[in-house]
Each structure stands twice: as structure tokens, then as C-alpha cells.
Amino acid sequence: QVQLAESGGGLVQAGGSLRLSCAASSSGLVINGMGWFRQAPGKQRELVAIITSGDTSKYADSVKGRFTISRDNTKNTWYLQMNSLEPEDTAVYFCAARLSPILVLTATQNDFDYWGQGTQVTVSS
């Protein structure tokens, strides 16, 4: 069983930055895929970024160059550094974990086994 806890959300002005963290309690299980997803009001949940235990990563086109996903395996924690935030980035952000190896290029939210409760990010204009 894997439990995930996000932190770092909040209210920020456009152009500002936030760093989200996802701490995993995995009872010794190895997490191979780590991701961030978001859901804006009235919209479907969408992929933001994925990273594997081998450091392969993928980003949504809308966040490339502004967001960076990273991980610290020693702490079983991964991060989403969000810079140059825009009002369109306002959403609930969820972290997700997958135990088995993942193909980053074709990965979707359906490939993830465990989810956090979400953290609100609000970007004001």
C-alpha cells in the first residue's frame, strides 16, 4: 500500500512561483513512476508531468519551460517546481505513483496506481 501526501499549494500572483511536494509512504515498495496531474473547475484531470525512477520525464505542452519535475529517492518524495505561473494554471494538483515500470512517452493517468488527495493552486491575474 502506498500513501501520498501533497503540500505546497496556495495563492500566488501571475508570474510567481510555487513548489509542490509529494511525500510517499510505500512500506518498502519501490515506486517506478511519479507524476503530477491537475484538474481545473469544469475540466477533466490532465497530465502535468511525469518522471521515472531512471529520471526520464515528460511534460504537458502547456507547462514546458515553466515547470520542472524532480525526485529524491532517498526521501521517497517528488516535486513540481512551477515558475511563471499563469491564471490558466489554477487547479487542484494531484500527485500519483506507479509501482511497476512505466513508458513515459505513452503514459496516462490510467497507468498510475495511487493518488494523493490534491492541493489547490490558485493564480491571480
Side-chain angles (χ1 to χ4, degrees):
Q1 186 72 9
V2 177
Q3 295 182 326
L4 306 178
E6 301 104 336
S7 61
L11 173 65
V12 65
Q13 289 188 331
S17 298
L18 283 175
R19 188 194 195 206
L20 305 183
S21 299
C22 181
S25 300
S26 63
S27 301
L29 298 173
V30 176
I31 298 173
N32 280 286
M34 294 142 273
W36 287 98
F37 297 79
R38 66 187 181 186
Q39 186 167 19
K43 295 186 177 181
Q44 291 187 336
R45 188 164 59 187
E46 63 176 3
L47 180 150
V48 177
I50 295 173
I51 191 167
T52 69
S53 57
D55 269 341
T56 301
S57 60
K58 178 174 83 169
Y59 295 88
D61 288 343
S62 59
V63 307
K64 282 180 181 176
R66 300 187 298 121
F67 291 11
T68 302
I69 190 171
S70 61
R71 61 178 181 82
D72 185 339
N73 287 346
T74 64
K75 297 180 180 179
N76 236 10
T77 301
W78 52 102
Y79 309 93
L80 186 68
Q81 177 66 42
M82 304 186 293
N83 298 328
S84 301
L85 282 160
E86 304 168 352
E88 293 74 22
D89 296 316
T90 295
V92 177
Y93 284 70
F94 300 89
C95 66
R98 174 182 168 95
L99 299 181
S100 54
I102 188 170
L103 295 176
V104 168
L105 289 180
T106 58
T108 70
Q109 58 182 305
N110 295 326
D111 294 308
F112 287 80
D113 309 304
Y114 301 95
W115 292 83
Q117 80 286 356
T119 185
Q120 177 70 45
V121 171
T122 303
V123 184
S124 64
S125 57

